[in-house]
Amino acid sequence: MSLINSEFPLPLRLAEAIANPLFPRIDTALRSGRHISADDFEQHSMLMEFHGELEIFYSRYQVELIKAPEGFFYLRPRPSADIGTTVLSELDMLVGKVLCYLFLSPDRLASEGVFTMGELQEEVLSLADEKQLLRMVNSRSGGTDLDKKKLLEKIRTAMRRLKRLGMVTSLGNSDKFRVNETVFRFAADVRSDEDPRVVQLRMIQEGEAIFHDDEMPSSDSLFDDIEGDLDEEQLELEVEDDLQP
């Protein structure tokens, strides 16, 4: 007996989308949590063309294919999603907020959108409360030089994670990177009549660096081999617990 239900044939446009040679790469990227912007020209163009059809496709997995107001695409799992999900750590989200602040900065135009890791670290340290930052690294932090060194290492780790999500693009083998428009995933509250940079700064300083969609798709490779210490794992579990209703 055939297991294929032929009473509901695949719509032609959806069949076209799935048959497209780009689809496997796009599907893998989206399921791993990556955000696809206009910088990924071919993949973005395909998502623009078949957005409606692929919305229906992913809804069968209890996942929403979202097109953000800024034009980039990502998957947002529902509570009953059939794909794996993960939650970013508190520091990951704070670094994402600071990257969004840099994206909104006049300095981005002057530097053609290119920043260095040193500049990012300086911004994080100057914009956020130092005690809050050190607590993210070690809840029993005494503010020692070792704690501060570990904080800088954790910021680098957060950047590697955000790079895998498509938030930044590394430039060569240097510490330079370009901030992508996908960092607006961390800025849902700045879409108002108020100066967006002022709102973003307030959210950073008041500790409101919470990802609006608590969960995102994940793949086994997203967090693999980035950092294996148990302190980070415990931190992620604590943040996940805090986000539960």
Side-chain angles (χ1 to χ4, degrees), residues 27 59-60 66 73 80 112-113 146 177 181 219 223:
D27 184 53
S59 68
R60 298 187 65 178
I66 303 296
F73 292 89
S80 55
E112 297 182 347
L146 181 60
F177 60 88
E181 65 183 0
S219 68
F223 294 114

Side-chain angles (χ1 to χ4, degrees), residues 12 19 58 103 112 125 128 132 145 149 168 198 214-215 223 225 233 242 245:
L12 180 59
Y58 285 112
F103 188 88
E112 297 182 347
L125 294 173
Q132 176 195 21
D145 289 342
K149 182 180 178 181
V168 297
V198 172
D214 295 347
E215 294 184 337
F223 294 114
D225 302 324
E233 290 181 7
D242 289 344

Side-chain angles (χ1 to χ4, degrees), residues 34 37 39 99-100 102-103 108-109 111-117 119-120 159 162-163 166-172 174-183:
R34 189 170 179 83
S37 69
D39 291 335
L99 286 172
C100 189
L102 289 175
F103 188 88
R108 184 177 71 88
L109 298 177
S111 65
E112 297 182 347
V114 176
F115 296 93
T116 66
M117 182 61 64
E119 289 171 334
L120 171 68
M159 276 292 286
L162 295 173
K163 176 187 173 184
M167 305 294 180
V168 297
T169 302
S170 297
L171 301 178
S174 68
D175 264 0
K176 294 182 178 181
F177 60 88
R178 177 174 285 109
V179 184
N180 300 328
E181 65 183 0
T182 50
V183 294

Side-chain angles (χ1 to χ4, degrees), residues 90-91 94 131-138 232 235:
E90 192 176 1
L91 183 59
L94 177 59
K131 290 182 180 179
Q132 176 195 21
L133 288 169
L134 292 174
R135 181 185 61 79
M136 293 179 189
V137 174
N138 179 2
E232 179 69 7
L235 174 61

Side-chain angles (χ1 to χ4, degrees), residues 162-203:
L162 295 173
K163 176 187 173 184
R164 293 191 180 198
L165 294 174
M167 305 294 180
V168 297
T169 302
S170 297
L171 301 178
N173 297 320
S174 68
D175 264 0
K176 294 182 178 181
F177 60 88
R178 177 174 285 109
V179 184
N180 300 328
E181 65 183 0
T182 50
V183 294
F184 271 93
R185 183 84 191 276
F186 294 94
D189 282 347
V190 306
R191 299 187 182 103
S192 66
D193 294 335
E194 193 175 350
D195 183 338
R197 198 159 182 257
V198 172
V199 178
Q200 192 71 9
L201 177 58
R202 183 172 68 241
M203 292 178 71

